[in-house]
Amino acid sequence: RACSACRSPRRTSPPIDLVVSGCVAAGGDGARLGKGGGYADLEYALLRATGALDGGTPVATTVHDSQLHAAGGIPREAHDVGLTLIATPTRLVRPATPPGQPQGIHWGALPPERIAAMPPLAARAAAHPAPDSSASSASASPASSSVPSPQDS
C-alpha cells in the first residue's frame, strides 16, 4: 500500500521513463547482482515512493557476455530491482517474464543508522509511525523511534 505522505504533490519534473542501473552480473530472468551495498535498490525505492516512477518503468543494464548468467543463477530478494532489458556486446536480452519490482522502501531491512545517514530516507521515515521498540536503537526510546514498517512504504 502506498503512503500518501511519501508522495510529493509539488513534483514538477516529468516521470522517469527509463532507469539504467549498473551491475556486476545479470541473470537471463532479470535478476541483477550489484556490489552489495543496496544503493541502486534504495534509490529505485525512493523514486517509487515519490511517484517519479512505477513498477512498469523499464530497468536496463549493460554487461559483458561473461557477466550474463542463466535464469535462476542469481538469487533475488524482495527489495531487489529486476531488469527488463540487458544489453551485452553481442545481444539484447529481454526476460520472458519481466521481474516484479519492489513497491517501495523496505523499512524493516534498514537499520536506524542508515536511515539517519541519508536525508531523503530520514525525511520519509519521519512521516511513518514506528513499527515497534525492537526496531529502534538502544539509545532511543520506543516512542521516539522513527523507523517505519515495511507495509507503510
Side-chain angles (χ1 to χ4, degrees):
R1 130 180 107 100
C3 171
S4 60
C6 292
R7 305 260 183 238
S8 175
R10 296 184 195 153
R11 187 173 56 83
T12 58
S13 60
I16 295 172
D17 294 323
L18 172 69
V19 174
V20 179
S21 182
C23 66
V24 174
D29 56 356
R32 180 189 157 278
L33 181 64
K35 292 182 180 181
Y39 290 100
D41 300 319
L42 196 48
E43 289 169 355
Y44 177 95
L46 279 165
L47 290 168
R48 182 107 187 233
T50 64
L53 55 79
D54 62 32
T57 304
V59 180
T61 196
T62 58
V63 294
H64 188 272
D65 290 293
S66 64
Q67 294 169 283
L68 183 60
H69 295 261
I74 297 176
R76 287 193 70 205
E77 294 184 37
H79 66 272
D80 290 336
V81 175
L83 301 166
T84 53
L85 179 65
I86 304 161
T88 78
T90 63
R91 61 188 164 156
L92 287 176
V93 177
R94 295 176 195 266
T97 304
Q101 301 295 22
Q103 295 189 13
I105 300 166
H106 288 248
W107 294 106
L110 295 171
E113 301 79 27
R114 186 156 188 198
I115 294 170
M118 299 180 80
L121 280 178
R124 296 216 180 293
H128 296 278
D132 61 39
S133 60
S134 66
S136 63
S137 66
S139 61
S141 69
S144 67
S145 174
S146 63
V147 181
S149 68
Q151 309 83 272
D152 290 335
S153 57

